[in-house]
Amino acid sequence: MSWHEGVRVVFEDARGRYVEALRDIESGEVLLSEKCAAAMVYQNADPPCCSFCLRFLEKDPPEFRCNGCKLECYCSTACKDEARRLYHSSDGECAAFEAGIEAEAIGFEFGDVPERFLLRVLSQAGGWRTPGGPLVVGAGIDRVRMLQAHVPAPDTEERGRLAGISRNTLRLMDESVEDGVRVVDPSGDEPATTSRYGEAELTQLLCSVNCNAHTLYANDRSSLAPVGIAVYLQGSAFNHSCIPSAEFCNVGTSLTVRSLRRVRAGEEITVSYVPTTMNLKERRRCLEGQYKFVCACPRCVAENVSSGLDDAR
């Protein structure tokens, strides 16, 4: 992970984290380079991409596919073996994916997001490898869970829906719904923030992932269609604007944030969480649906006044 020396992350109680320029930043400067905490390629990504490195898959059907769940496809045996070593273990994530496919066949939901991606976060960011095995403190799972997020109030329909996904996730992992997944700190340097990840912790994690996930695109940029999703611990510090001063760009599953224009010292640096080609109504729907806020950037304010959208609502 590498930050530009001319930017800093600021925290304020009233607004949370944001990124600020310490000096004038010119257009095209790299502001952050970061590896993902967790990333996943969609099952029906178009164009088809390697589930590990996001390279375009030329052969149809793919030559290298996970022999277990059949959901993960790779460009080489090297990528297949590395995914297996790092997170897609046969007894852990792969078996949970298989269980999800079986549950889907009898009417349960098992989509890419949030169900499959939550399992990926637990495996890749949390180090979960097998039923009865632990989540590992220091692997990044607690840092993902503590990212700023909108958590629905107790006893609401949305909170109940998310809690249901959390319980089903534990079942897919072949873990106890009552006890959750145990947490260990192999270094012994710091105590675990919780001894178990149960329904409450998984629901918090799910909310954090929903509000901080970013879109992945194919490595060759041959299409602007999303092919996957990822979470970045540092990249999540950038706030949204529909007239952004920087942009996210992924190379494989790694993130690069680059300035789009000159940014003055003391100015907040923003990115757009949605395509800037969307109209006001489309942007609002996406932002409210996933990130749970109404954008009040100058562009939205101006377009709102000219369109009379609030009056129409």
Side-chain angles (χ1 to χ4, degrees):
M1 185 270 293
S2 176
W3 279 100
H4 188 293
E5 73 279 1
V7 304
R8 66 170 181 169
V9 178
V10 183
F11 179 83
E12 295 179 0
D13 290 338
R15 58 188 298 193
R17 288 197 303 171
Y18 63 95
V19 181
E20 179 183 73
L22 292 171
R23 62 164 175 80
D24 289 355
I25 303 291
E26 299 302 324
S27 176
E29 293 193 48
V30 174
L31 308 177
L32 173 66
S33 298
E34 181 185 11
K35 293 182 178 180
C36 68
M40 186 191 75
V41 172
Y42 297 142
Q43 180 179 353
N44 296 314
D46 185 16
C49 298
C50 175
S51 296
F52 185 76
C53 74
L54 270 68
R55 286 194 182 97
F56 175 68
L57 295 177
E58 297 182 357
K59 295 187 177 182
D60 185 18
E63 184 176 3
F64 306 99
R65 185 188 293 271
C66 174
N67 297 326
C69 67
K70 307 293 194 299
L71 293 178
E72 303 282 291
C73 302
Y74 306 98
C75 65
S76 66
T77 55
C79 281
K80 182 177 179 180
D81 292 344
E82 195 69 356
R84 181 79 68 181
R85 182 181 72 84
L86 292 175
Y87 52 83
H88 193 62
S89 63
S90 57
D91 294 332
E93 182 186 86
C94 182
F97 282 3
E98 288 187 80
I101 294 169
E102 293 173 0
E104 189 176 39
I106 58 173
F108 289 89
E109 289 191 18
F110 186 65
D112 286 329
V113 180
E115 291 87 0
R116 191 158 73 95
F117 190 50
L118 181 58
L119 286 166
R120 172 58 51 83
V121 172
L122 291 165
S123 301
Q124 190 171 2
W128 180 76
R129 295 290 181 271
T130 186
L135 293 169
V136 182
V137 170
I141 190 74
D142 277 339
R143 294 180 66 192
V144 174
R145 184 168 69 93
M146 299 311 294
L147 291 174
Q148 188 170 345
H150 170 80
V151 180
D155 301 323
T156 61
E157 182 178 347
E158 179 64 7
R159 182 65 171 268
R161 184 184 74 86
L162 296 176
I165 293 172
S166 298
R167 291 191 297 271
N168 285 338
T169 297
L170 289 167
R171 294 185 180 102
L172 295 178
M173 297 167 72
D174 199 18
E175 300 282 359
S176 168
V177 174
E178 290 74 24
D179 297 334
V181 188
R182 64 190 179 90
V183 179
V184 299
D185 176 13
S187 70
D189 293 337
E190 56 182 294
T193 56
T194 176
S195 59
R196 313 289 299 191
Y197 258 55
E199 177 189 310
E201 290 77 21
L202 287 183
T203 300
Q204 172 71 48
L205 178 65
L206 182 56
C207 292
S208 297
V209 169
N210 285 345
C211 288
N212 291 279
H214 288 279
T215 299
L216 294 175
Y217 296 92
N219 247 8
D220 60 1
R221 309 296 289 182
S222 59
S223 170
L224 293 180
V227 299
I229 186 171
V231 173
Y232 301 96
L233 294 173
Q234 300 300 321
S236 63
F238 288 90
N239 286 329
H240 166 83
S241 172
C242 298
I243 42 173
S245 53
E247 66 175 348
F248 277 12
C249 179
N250 64 281
V251 179
T253 59
S254 294
L255 172 70
T256 297
V257 183
R258 193 181 304 271
S259 57
L260 288 170
R261 60 168 174 81
R262 192 178 194 195
V263 182
R264 299 290 186 181
E267 182 181 347
E268 180 180 0
I269 302 172
T270 59
V271 299
S272 181
Y273 295 171
V274 298
T276 55
T277 53
M278 286 181 171
N279 63 36
L280 175 61
K281 191 172 183 179
E282 292 169 331
R283 298 197 309 272
R284 277 189 168 177
R285 183 177 65 250
C286 290
L287 292 170
E288 290 186 58
Q290 180 173 351
Y291 300 103
K292 313 302 181 186
F293 71 87
V294 177
C295 182
C297 74
R299 178 184 174 189
C300 285
V301 171
E303 291 181 11
N304 187 62
V305 171
S306 63
S307 67
L309 186 60
D310 278 343
D311 293 337
R313 294 172 82 187

